[in-house]
Amino acid sequence: MLKGTFPVARFSSLKTPFYYYDMDLLARTLDELRAQMARYPDYRMHYAVKANFNPEILRLIASAGFGADCVSGGEVQAALDAGFAAKDIVFAGVGKADWEINLALEAGIGRFNVESLPELEVLDALAGARGAVAPVSLRVNPDIGAHTHANITTGLAENKFGIAYEMLEEVIRRALSLEHVAFKGLHFHIGSQILEMDDFVALCNRVNELSARLSRHGLPVGDINVGGGLGIQYQHPNHFPMADFAGYFATFKKHLAVKPGTPVHFELGRSIVAPCGSLICRVLYVKQGTSRQFAIIDGSMTELIRPALYKAYHRIENLSSDEPEEVYDVVGPVCESSDVFAKAVEIDRCHRGDFIAIRSAGAYGEAMASRYNLHTLPEAFFDWRR
Ligand code: LLP
């Protein structure tokens, strides 16, 4: 079985499960992203902090010159602490609390992505109370489905996100009438782990249609934020360690109709950080059931909840064995039947103590870890060597 290269000898002194981050891969990914974006001077990237807010990861991404996309006061603070410039921070979320808005106003962030009329009015009042004017984009619910898991599609009319398509003019007019908000542009996001570029084409078509409609109504839009969502190849991390950034940007270049000089903002999360992370676990027991063989490992849904929550696939590799493959259900110790990483997967024969890598776990892995069953939160190991 083709496996990733890991410094396994250095793992024996570490407490498993832990997150392994290939910082060289992350640095190369950021270089590639920068190189691709250099071809489109109006494109701006705001890394979606929710995907991974480990301070070490954030610092590297901030130092590459990107902005940050945040969805809570905690994330805004983490982005500031990691060195992201306040002016390059955008702040979305359907339920921003007053303290979070105040923190962002105090910091002077670049954009509030406002998701409802009541939020707009609260923002105006809080900005007014400090004599400030808050730069605002309105998040539109584009009512577009994406070919991805139902729990991670966000752009349908039935989803809670954004302002309903047909109410937009009313909300823009309200924004223009308020003294302490400045209407700057529109924000969209259709979902996550999107591999079909046609989904992004559908988004572009929607944005074009909407911009034309707003112009006809005398409401020109300053800039556009198309959100994130680019997917990665979970099946083949060794063959495709990087997402298709070139194809992604080319799709927007071809299909998004904006006047030259109009800033286009992106909020990629997963595609930047997923490939560089693996959850490293050890085999505790190999157990023979009636009809199945279980590899019981010390990692669980508390460190990586994606398989349990979304039935997500993550490639699993045994780093300690080169013996012939056998078929296992790879499961964690948590008292939930959904605490399963994979059913009936072929991996090199397992023994107690073997190191197991659960790949492509750099996004929505550590960030979604919990202390359920009173587990401790996983530590991180950063590999800068190569
Ligand atoms: N912008 C907005 C407004 C978002 O809601 C999201 C993700 C992103 C950007 C970044 O999307 P990305 O480029 O990472 O696809 N926990 C789920 C994913 C939830 C995504 C939520 N929003 C998972 O593990 O698959």
Side-chain angles (χ1 to χ4, degrees):
M1 178 192 231
L2 179 61
K3 297 177 198 174
T5 43
F6 291 90
V8 181
R10 296 167 68 194
F11 289 173
S12 28
S13 58
L14 302 173
K15 180 176 175 291
T16 50
F18 63 88
Y19 274 94
Y20 166 90
Y21 292 112
D22 180 344
M23 299 305 271
D24 175 66
L25 174 59
L26 179 56
R28 281 186 285 121
T29 303
L30 295 169
D31 286 346
E32 162 71 7
L33 197 51
R34 253 201 321 234
Q36 289 301 329
M37 297 196 71
R39 306 170 63 188
Y40 309 104
D42 301 329
Y43 287 8
R44 315 258 185 278
M45 181 59 65
H46 305 266
Y47 162 67
V49 171
K50 66 174 82 66
N52 191 317
F53 44 76
N54 187 296
E56 204 82 30
I57 303 264
L58 288 185
R59 272 198 291 273
L60 188 62
I61 298 174
S63 71
F66 297 118
D69 158 42
C70 301
V71 288
S72 69
E75 286 192 1
V76 171
Q77 190 60 57
L80 292 168
D81 293 347
F84 288 95
K87 69 172 177 38
D88 297 328
I89 294 179
V90 301
F91 182 15
V94 289
K96 300 181 189 74
D98 293 16
W99 73 265
E100 296 178 300
I101 295 176
N102 279 325
L103 186 149
L105 285 168
E106 177 73 34
I109 66 159
R111 197 64 61 91
F112 290 82
N113 290 328
V114 169
E115 306 217 11
S116 68
L117 190 53
E119 180 194 332
L120 184 71
E121 289 174 348
V122 167
L123 177 58
D124 179 69
L126 294 175
R130 49 178 69 231
V133 176
V136 161
S137 283
L138 295 176
R139 177 164 179 186
V140 183
N141 184 324
D143 197 13
I144 290 178
H147 296 93
T148 184
H149 190 282
N151 285 11
I152 51 177
T153 176
T154 43
L156 288 171
E158 68 195 47
N159 296 134
K160 67 181 174 182
F161 301 99
I163 294 165
Y165 203 60
E166 58 283 358
M167 286 172 58
L168 196 56
E169 275 89 345
E170 175 196 340
V171 183
I172 295 178
R173 291 212 166 85
R174 183 75 184 124
L176 293 172
S177 76
L178 294 172
E179 248 181 78
H180 297 282
V181 298
F183 171 62
K184 301 277 189 191
L186 299 180
H187 175 226
F188 301 82
H189 175 74
I190 54 172
S192 200
Q193 183 50 19
I194 296 171
L195 290 169
E196 291 189 30
M197 291 298 157
D198 280 355
D199 289 339
F200 294 118
V201 174
L203 171 63
C204 291
N205 292 339
R206 194 60 125 198
V207 176
N208 297 343
E209 182 189 315
L210 195 53
S211 310
R213 189 179 95 192
L214 293 174
S215 292
R216 282 198 303 278
H217 291 190
L219 300 170
V221 173
D223 62 21
I224 301 287
N225 180 333
V226 292
L230 176 63
I232 62 145
Q233 302 286 348
Y234 280 99
Q235 310 278 344
H236 306 291
N238 300 314
H239 293 104
F240 301 102
M242 265 185 226
D244 179 17
F245 297 116
Y248 175 73
F249 292 122
T251 301
F252 283 93
K253 180 68 192 167
K254 179 159 179 217
H255 296 277
L256 193 66
V258 285
K259 286 200 208 86
T262 304
V264 179
H265 301 265
F266 296 85
E267 301 173 339
L268 295 181
R270 182 191 315 268
S271 49
I272 298 177
V273 290
C276 75
S278 292
L279 181 64
I280 306 294
C281 313
R282 288 186 103 149
V283 176
L284 291 172
Y285 305 104
V286 177
K287 169 163 117 173
Q288 195 61 55
T290 318
S291 57
R292 319 180 73 95
Q293 175 167 242
F294 297 97
I296 302 170
I297 60 177
D298 56 7
S300 72
M301 64 192 288
T302 64
E303 291 80 34
L304 178 63
I305 201 175
R306 303 193 68 256
L309 195 56
Y310 315 117
K311 298 211 180 327
Y313 173 86
H314 287 263
R315 182 178 163 90
I316 301 176
E317 296 170 359
N318 185 343
L319 305 181
S320 307
S321 161
D322 278 322
E323 292 175 42
E325 294 176 357
E326 291 193 18
V327 178
Y328 299 94
D329 283 10
V330 179
V331 304
V334 166
C335 301
E336 296 274 346
S337 335
S338 58
D339 187 28
V340 173
F341 286 109
K343 288 198 166 162
V345 280
E346 290 189 359
I347 48 176
D348 294 357
R349 183 179 297 144
C350 290
H351 308 274
R352 176 173 168 81
D354 284 356
F355 285 107
I356 300 289
I358 305 183
R359 304 290 307 276
S360 317
Y364 308 110
E366 189 183 357
M368 294 177 78
S370 80
R371 296 211 52 207
Y372 186 42
N373 280 201
L374 214 46
H375 285 189
T376 48
L377 291 173
E379 301 273 320
F381 175 88
F382 301 95
D383 186 358
W384 297 89
R385 294 172 316 147
R386 270 165 284 164

